Amino acid sequence: MSQFDITHKDAAGRIGKLTTPHGVIETPTVMPVINPNLQTIKPSEMRDFGAEILITNSYIIYRKDELREKALADGLHSLLDFDGPIMTDSGSFQLSVYGEVEVTNQEIIDFQQKIGTDIGVPLDIPTHPDVTYEKAKQDMDITIERLREAREFVQGSMLLAGPVQGAVYKDLREECARELSGMGFEVYPFGAVVPLMESYRYADLVDVIASAKKGLDPAAPVHLFGAGHPMMFALAVALGCDLFDSAAYALYAKDRRYITSRGTYHVDQLKYLPCSCPVCIDHTAEELKKAHNCTELLARHNLYVTFEEMREVKQAIWEGNLLELVEQRCRSHPRMLEALKQMYNYSPWLEECDPSSKSTFFYCGPESSKRPEVLRFNKNLERLTLKGSVLIRSYPTKKDREYDNVMMFKPPFGSYPQDLAEVYPFNAEVVRTPDYESLETAYLNTIRLVELNPEATFTFFMKERFEHPLVEKLGEMDNFTIVPPKAD
Ligand code: GUN
Ligand code: ZN
């Protein structure tokens, strides 16, 4: 058995099992961040929320005598009182905030091994997204050298993570991922994306994830470093991320913020609690606001909804409707909608990962016209050879027998053989009044079909609600006749 086994797939998303020294975890999952200095929700309680693996910071433990001595003597799992898998970060985050750390790459890797970490992280350089290309490349080269050193140094059972850097430069992210892939890490975190998420640059985040993924073996597990808001889980999972970590549940709580899968509320703006977790069942909005332990209650609620959303994402992969969930979640914020559009600019890549049969395709809006399944149909048009007369219709007629071929017309796909009507994805649930974008795609695909089959003659029984500027273009083709719409 390999360390990461994929059991179900949807788009570039997957359900997998990752084997660590302290047990097997199911991905995608989120690792609650544990602060070894102050932690309101105890690590031993985390399983009750759905956590299978935790993440903490080895540099914080290393720096504090009392914590370091206990971790070296009794082990990390005893220090935190958690017997499941634990990942440790290296102090790179402190490096990015304070500019320096009092530890070397070798020292912190050695320390992580000695305390019994399940997944260790070398001292990579989290490069801020807005630095120049030259600076990003310099930092990346140093990161790659440190990771090479760590890879040679680490033997034994600890899994080693190889963080992919490269700021927002797509070629650097891909190059870094490819380079690290050649060295063979057990987990690939995508680093330094927190500033992108903090400033709602989700479309840039899509670029970063897609470029880095292209440089990796698709079967390698990926961690999106610092991503803990449930609103973006579906999107990031669909792009191939498997692990997330959430400090957000505690940090947001400190700011009196209440997380939902659609966004965040300030608790003082809540009149109702739109959630059924134990906290929200036990309190009214007023009680929650006034509670002496409001921060802890909010942290608990935030953790519940975080894991709830991850289960929703997993169920969607299992059922094969992850892209429907992504399209819904990306309507929560205009910046997320930009990210959705950007994701579908990568449909040629998504199409290569996407299973060929899934649950019924649901049309959820104009963006659905760019889904990988629609693109796949366009690619497959070349394989369709038509001879003689072809009827294209979207409603039953009595004329079928008068033609050599009968095709159905359904936006956003276009025209496909009637025999496939019940087959995925043509059994799609679509709106009866197609939008401009889905008609555009459907007619472009139909024009292509006609061009690919110059010997055939096409007759299209059109509907009034299928009007679109491209109909005129179709009508001008020599072997294409339009039967004008009857009133709908
Ligand atoms: N935490 C958030 N981002 C990063 C990163 O890029 N590298 C490391 N090591 N930790 C992080
Ligand atoms: Zn709740």
Side-chain angles (χ1 to χ4, degrees):
M1 198 175 96
S2 82
Q3 248 148 0
F4 188 55
D5 286 317
I6 294 170
T7 58
H8 295 81
K9 291 194 207 177
D10 193 354
R14 56 276 185 97
I15 295 176
K17 293 211 186 300
L18 179 68
T19 303
T20 79
H22 283 81
V24 179
I25 57 166
E26 189 175 86
T27 63
T29 194
V30 51
M31 304 180 274
V33 174
I34 304 297
N35 181 337
N37 283 318
L38 68 145
Q39 181 65 30
T40 29
I41 305 173
K42 298 278 163 267
S44 54
E45 270 191 86
M46 286 294 177
R47 279 191 214 279
D48 300 341
F49 293 88
E52 297 183 44
I53 172 171
L54 308 180
I55 183 167
T56 190
N57 193 312
S58 63
Y59 180 62
I60 295 178
I61 299 171
Y62 180 84
R63 240 182 358 191
K64 200 162 176 174
D65 294 345
E66 182 196 332
L67 294 174
R68 185 179 61 239
E69 297 316 320
K70 180 155 171 40
L72 285 170
D74 305 332
L76 174 68
H77 293 77
S78 164
L79 178 75
L80 296 190
D81 187 24
F82 182 77
D83 62 5
I86 305 175
M87 180 171 180
T88 46
D89 201 353
S90 54
S92 295
F93 180 73
Q94 284 76 4
L95 182 70
S96 71
V97 177
Y98 306 111
E100 56 183 335
V101 283
E102 291 158 19
V103 70
T104 66
N105 184 40
Q106 284 233 8
E107 282 164 351
I108 200 68
I109 280 287
D110 183 41
F111 180 67
Q112 292 177 72
Q113 276 196 294
K114 283 189 176 138
I115 64 177
T117 293
D118 290 271
I119 308 176
V121 181
L123 198 64
D124 60 312
I125 303 182
T127 309
H128 196 275
D130 296 326
V131 302
T132 62
Y133 186 89
E134 287 65 34
K135 168 76 173 144
K137 170 100 173 89
Q138 264 174 18
D139 279 4
M140 182 187 98
D141 289 340
I142 299 171
T143 290
I144 292 173
E145 276 326 301
R146 290 190 187 168
L147 296 189
R148 198 187 306 283
E149 178 184 57
R151 184 65 287 180
E152 282 163 15
F153 188 72
V154 170
Q155 274 131 27
S157 61
M158 182 176 88
L159 277 54
L160 187 61
V164 177
Q165 298 290 348
V168 286
Y169 302 106
K170 292 188 262 186
D171 61 326
L172 292 184
R173 287 279 181 178
E174 185 171 344
E175 181 190 331
C176 188
R178 188 158 284 123
E179 192 82 17
L180 301 186
S181 193
M183 299 180 207
F185 291 87
E186 283 78 36
V187 175
Y188 296 87
F190 295 170
V193 294
V194 172
L196 294 177
M197 295 184 291
E198 283 174 346
S199 48
Y200 289 78
R201 290 166 64 183
Y202 297 117
D204 290 338
L205 180 66
V206 169
D207 282 338
V208 165
I209 299 172
S211 326
K213 282 289 292 189
K214 284 184 189 176
L216 291 181
D217 179 342
V222 167
H223 169 199
L224 193 62
F225 239 137
H229 199 300
M231 181 172 74
M232 44 76 67
F233 286 169
L235 173 74
V237 169
L239 288 162
C241 299
D242 308 292
L243 289 164
F244 297 81
D245 62 276
S246 175
Y249 76 94
L251 296 175
Y252 280 53
K254 248 202 227 155
D255 282 349
R256 292 176 71 77
R257 287 192 290 168
Y258 178 102
I259 294 177
T260 79
S261 55
R262 298 195 315 138
T264 311
Y265 293 97
H266 199 280
V267 72
D268 299 308
Q269 287 169 341
L270 282 172
K271 173 80 181 151
Y272 306 96
L273 298 181
C275 167
S276 307
C277 81
V279 173
C280 299
I281 289 293
D282 285 350
H283 299 80
T284 64
E286 279 314 301
E287 286 165 353
L288 179 59
K289 287 175 214 175
K290 293 190 181 128
H292 70 281
N293 59 342
C294 177
T295 306
E296 182 190 338
L297 292 173
L298 281 172
R300 287 178 181 276
H301 157 83
N302 289 345
L303 261 186
Y304 277 117
V305 295
T306 299
F307 282 100
E308 174 178 294
E309 177 66 2
M310 201 52 96
R311 289 191 297 275
E312 181 101 47
V313 168
K314 290 208 285 189
Q315 173 64 20
I317 298 173
W318 191 78
E319 245 185 284
N321 55 27
L322 179 60
L323 291 176
E324 280 82 356
L325 181 64
V326 175
E327 292 189 13
Q328 286 170 22
R329 291 297 183 252
C330 287
R331 285 190 166 70
S332 313
H333 194 287
R335 298 278 100 75
M336 289 285 292
L337 188 55
E338 287 172 5
L340 173 64
K341 290 173 196 280
Q342 190 68 342
M343 178 178 86
Y344 283 151
N345 287 333
Y346 292 96
S347 272
W349 166 65
L350 290 174
E351 193 266 321
E352 290 170 22
C353 315
D354 198 38
S356 55
S357 185
K358 307 196 291 191
S359 76
T360 311
F361 178 115
F362 276 28
Y363 192 82
C364 305
E367 292 77 22
S368 301
S369 305
K370 302 279 189 303
R371 274 179 59 159
E373 296 92 335
V374 182
L375 192 79
R376 179 178 299 143
F377 173 61
N378 176 284
K379 273 171 63 177
N380 289 345
L381 282 175
E382 272 168 30
R383 297 205 223 140
L384 206 63
T385 308
L386 295 166
K387 297 222 159 58
S389 58
V390 184
L391 168 66
I392 301 177
R393 60 165 176 80
S394 58
Y395 54 92
T397 69
K398 297 210 176 74
K399 308 254 190 296
D400 286 10
R401 270 190 261 151
E402 295 171 25
Y403 293 84
D404 300 318
N405 309 272
V406 180
M407 301 190 87
M408 306 285 287
F409 181 78
K410 190 189 234 183
F413 297 100
S415 312
Y416 55 87
Q418 186 187 23
D419 293 348
L420 299 180
E422 299 307 319
V423 176
Y424 184 87
F426 306 111
N427 58 347
E429 292 288 346
V430 301
V431 284
R432 291 194 305 170
T433 46
D435 52 42
Y436 188 92
E437 287 80 357
S438 69
L439 284 168
E440 171 111 353
T441 307
Y443 285 130
L444 286 174
N445 283 349
T446 303
I447 291 170
R448 179 129 191 277
L449 176 77
V450 177
E451 283 171 351
L452 285 166
N453 294 279
E455 311 283 291
T457 56
F458 296 83
T459 307
F460 178 39
F461 278 63
M462 206 193 135
K463 279 189 183 180
E464 211 162 61
R465 55 178 188 255
F466 290 178
E467 283 296 354
H468 187 280
L470 282 172
V471 174
E472 195 181 323
K473 175 137 195 246
L474 265 169
E476 287 165 4
M477 298 179 89
D478 288 340
N479 53 341
F480 201 92
T481 307
I482 299 174
V483 177
K486 292 184 282 195
D488 274 338

